[in-house]
Amino acid sequence: MNEQLTLRAMEPEDIDLLYRIENDRSLWDVGSTNVPYSRSSLRDFIINTSNDIYTDKQLRLMICVDGHAVGIADLMNFDPRNSRAEVGIVIMKSHRRRGYALKALALMANYAAEVIHLHQLYAYVALDNQPSCQLFHKAGYHQQATLKDWLYDGSGYHDALLLQFFL
């Protein structure tokens, strides 16, 4: 299989995929979201985002395989003074375990280095989220710290890893 993976800006047609991802409660424990989003608020987000990381302090790109959106890649908490940003990635369940996340992280690193001229990317990953830990390690991220009780899932606190990738 010779599939082509690309990253592109969000389009209004992505609303259904965004709605599914943002309202998937199983993903709330790995991020900072803990409320559902309406289609209207997501549509407003798509329309009002400038796709300029300097203006929005974040950049959300759609991960596409052969033109079909399968997930989302984010650069957030952009810090231009220190040339760094946090990276986040979500692949739809039906498309996981195919190498898409690893390729998307490589494309994000390329973009961050060549276009935005960042010095580093970082991610927080729950220590017990082995698939994500393995993904980031395979992508070249290195563990810098274990953050005790960093994430709360509604029933308890969990440790997280701070992972860094230098560009």
Side-chain angles (χ1 to χ4, degrees), residues 58-127:
Q58 72 173 38
L59 178 66
R60 174 164 276 187
L61 298 172
M62 304 306 294
I63 301 167
C64 297
V65 175
D66 294 334
H68 175 70
V70 298
I72 301 170
D74 288 308
L75 290 179
M76 56 209 154
N77 297 319
F78 172 58
D79 180 349
R81 177 183 169 105
N82 294 299
S83 301
R84 66 178 173 237
E86 182 178 354
V87 66
I89 190 161
V90 176
I91 301 291
M92 295 297 295
K93 286 179 186 174
S94 59
H95 296 281
R96 291 182 187 162
R97 313 288 301 163
R98 298 182 190 178
Y100 299 155
L102 185 62
K103 289 177 186 173
L105 284 174
L107 289 174
M108 287 295 276
N110 240 10
Y111 183 83
E114 294 177 12
V115 177
I116 309 172
H117 308 290
L118 293 182
H119 174 62
Q120 65 177 290
L121 298 175
Y122 65 93
Y124 298 105
V125 179
L127 185 61

Side-chain angles (χ1 to χ4, degrees), residues 20-160:
R20 283 191 310 245
I21 288 174
E22 294 292 356
N23 292 299
D24 182 344
R25 291 190 67 151
S26 70
L27 297 174
W28 290 1
D29 294 340
V30 298
S32 58
T33 298
N34 63 357
V35 296
Y37 285 92
S38 69
R39 288 182 190 282
S40 176
S41 64
L42 291 171
R43 185 175 22 263
D44 289 347
F45 174 73
I46 292 171
I47 291 168
N48 293 318
T49 190
S50 70
N51 288 322
D52 178 357
I53 196 166
Y54 287 92
T55 299
D56 299 334
K57 301 297 183 222
Q58 72 173 38
L59 178 66
R60 174 164 276 187
L61 298 172
M62 304 306 294
I63 301 167
C64 297
V65 175
D66 294 334
H68 175 70
V70 298
I72 301 170
D74 288 308
L75 290 179
M76 56 209 154
N77 297 319
F78 172 58
D79 180 349
R81 177 183 169 105
N82 294 299
S83 301
R84 66 178 173 237
E86 182 178 354
V87 66
I89 190 161
V90 176
I91 301 291
M92 295 297 295
K93 286 179 186 174
S94 59
H95 296 281
R96 291 182 187 162
R97 313 288 301 163
R98 298 182 190 178
Y100 299 155
L102 185 62
K103 289 177 186 173
L105 284 174
L107 289 174
M108 287 295 276
N110 240 10
Y111 183 83
E114 294 177 12
V115 177
I116 309 172
H117 308 290
L118 293 182
H119 174 62
Q120 65 177 290
L121 298 175
Y122 65 93
Y124 298 105
V125 179
L127 185 61
D128 58 359
N129 185 344
Q130 285 305 305
S132 288
C133 289
Q134 290 172 355
L135 165 68
F136 279 94
H137 286 297
K138 194 171 184 179
Y141 284 70
H142 297 281
Q143 179 179 336
Q144 299 302 329
T146 299
L147 305 167
K148 295 301 218 179
D149 291 346
W150 194 253
L151 302 170
Y152 182 70
D153 68 2
S155 61
Y157 289 91
H158 302 273
D159 296 348

